[in-house]
Amino acid sequence: MDVTYRPIGVLHSPFRDLSEMPIQPTSRASAPGTAEIFAEYAEGLRDLDGFSHVILLYHLHRVRRAQLTVVPFLGSEPRGVFATRAPARPNPIGLSIVSLLRVEGRTLHLGNVDILDDTPLLDLKPYVPAFDRPAQARAGWLEQVQGNVGEVRSDDRFK
Amino acid sequence: MDVTYRPIGVLHSPFRDLSEMPIQPTSRASAPGTAEIFAEYAEGLRDLDGFSHVILLYHLHRVRRAQLTVVPFLGSEPRGVFATRAPARPNPIGLSIVSLLRVEGRTLHLGNVDILDDTPLLDLKPYVPAFDRPAQARAGWLEQVQGNVGEVRSDDRFK
């Protein structure tokens, strides 16, 4: 059973190329950007101001093929793709938790975007600490290297 | 531009009906469940053990129609759907951060599932504190009521 979605908007950022992009919103290279929600969905944005962060789900439109084993940006060993955040997934859905600076009509001003310009936005959810923040979390193989997220940049290995 | 995804597996839980379901993984009613990954994607599970939590993205297959304004389970006022976690979204993609108890072949044993039995799984990502945990977060209209997530159950209003 395939499922089909239609984008609700488009993401804009300074990143036009996969090289040298931030690999997560918490990268020091992440940058302000916007989400432009299409007019037909604007009504759904009511009450969004007041949330400091939103969860963006988007279609990783520049991924050409899935890989089940990847060498992720953090680390040099091959890993199962579902144990990584690499974009070359069977269903290339990206997830970023970014800060919401303000809502201006159908435009969301976002604080720390790690997403390519012109990426199709599929869904937008409020980040809610009581739902989304496990008290204690172990990060498996990433435990030792997750701290490098601030420095490491992407390249086009998953194009 | 529509995007089409094919499920990578299926989620199993004790919840066969929308009534009385937990509304989030942090509900006291959430329960152990499993994710069965289809054989063709099994290779991608390597290195997943070691992570205490995973992010599940799934297709909310029982939602029949999108609503841009909803009355969410928490609260009694109408809200814009993108300011809520209600399932009746334009693209009904569900997101839950659940605990990963163990990986057994292609079966993931999950600790606190808030998802209907037989839900199609679209993607599976490791939860990584350094990527996914904003230091300070305000939850807008949910600020006052998010603490009730433990008690409130769902009903079939979004069917």
Side-chain angles (χ1 to χ4, degrees):
Chain A
M1 183 205 71
D2 289 358
V3 297
T4 299
Y5 298 128
R6 177 159 298 181
I8 60 164
V10 63
L11 294 161
H12 291 299
S13 80
F15 308 115
R16 298 183 168 274
D17 198 88
L18 294 168
S19 295
E20 296 293 310
M21 270 187 49
I23 62 168
Q24 285 290 333
T26 46
S27 167
R28 268 185 270 286
S30 70
T34 58
E36 301 287 342
I37 308 301
F38 299 142
E40 64 199 285
Y41 302 111
E43 177 193 329
L45 295 176
R46 195 157 55 105
D47 305 300
L48 195 61
D49 47 358
F51 289 89
S52 62
H53 294 76
V54 289
I55 304 173
L56 305 176
L57 297 180
Y58 46 93
H59 182 60
L60 294 156
H61 63 304
R62 295 276 288 276
V63 172
R64 290 283 167 263
R65 62 191 177 90
Q67 297 170 234
L68 293 175
T69 296
V70 298
V71 176
F73 295 125
L74 289 171
S76 54
E77 287 189 48
R79 307 282 180 184
V81 70
F82 299 124
T84 78
R85 301 290 278 267
R89 324 179 72 77
N91 292 317
I93 306 176
L95 178 159
S96 296
I97 301 174
V98 302
S99 62
L100 176 62
L101 303 177
R102 69 183 192 283
V103 181
E104 196 178 328
R106 298 188 282 111
T107 303
L108 311 188
H109 294 268
L110 307 169
N112 53 327
V113 172
D114 63 328
I115 303 166
L116 268 179
D117 192 36
D118 286 333
T119 292
L121 180 66
L122 297 176
D123 195 13
L124 170 70
K125 301 178 192 290
Y127 175 82
V128 182
F131 304 165
D132 302 315
R133 192 192 289 260
Q136 295 278 341
R138 276 180 300 109
W141 70 267
L142 271 161
E143 196 78 22
Q144 302 307 319
V145 292
Q146 62 181 334
N148 300 335
V149 62
E151 306 302 336
V152 172
R153 307 287 184 95
S154 82
D155 51 47
D156 61 3
R157 70 181 76 177
F158 298 121
K159 195 167 65 176
Chain B
M1 183 204 71
D2 289 358
V3 298
T4 299
Y5 298 129
R6 175 160 297 182
I8 60 164
V10 62
L11 294 161
H12 291 300
S13 81
F15 307 116
R16 297 183 168 275
D17 198 87
L18 294 168
S19 296
E20 296 293 310
M21 271 187 50
I23 62 169
Q24 285 291 332
T26 47
S27 168
R28 270 185 269 286
S30 70
T34 57
E36 302 287 341
I37 308 301
F38 299 142
E40 64 199 283
Y41 303 111
E43 176 192 330
L45 295 175
R46 194 155 57 102
D47 305 299
L48 194 61
D49 48 357
F51 289 89
S52 62
H53 294 77
V54 289
I55 304 173
L56 305 175
L57 297 180
Y58 47 93
H59 181 61
L60 294 155
H61 62 305
R62 295 277 287 277
V63 172
R64 288 283 167 265
R65 62 191 177 91
Q67 297 169 235
L68 293 176
T69 297
V70 298
V71 176
F73 296 125
L74 289 171
S76 55
E77 287 189 49
R79 307 283 180 183
V81 70
F82 299 125
T84 79
R85 301 289 280 265
R89 325 180 70 78
N91 292 317
I93 307 177
L95 179 160
S96 297
I97 300 173
V98 302
S99 61
L100 176 63
L101 303 177
R102 68 183 192 282
V103 181
E104 196 178 329
R106 298 188 281 113
T107 303
L108 311 189
H109 293 269
L110 307 170
N112 54 327
V113 172
D114 63 327
I115 303 167
L116 268 179
D117 192 36
D118 287 333
T119 293
L121 180 65
L122 297 176
D123 196 14
L124 171 70
K125 301 179 193 288
Y127 175 82
V128 182
F131 304 166
D132 301 316
R133 192 191 289 261
Q136 295 278 339
R138 275 180 301 110
W141 71 268
L142 271 161
E143 195 79 21
Q144 303 306 319
V145 293
Q146 61 180 334
N148 299 335
V149 62
E151 306 302 337
V152 173
R153 307 286 185 95
S154 82
D155 52 46
D156 61 3
R157 73 182 74 177
F158 299 121
K159 195 167 70 178

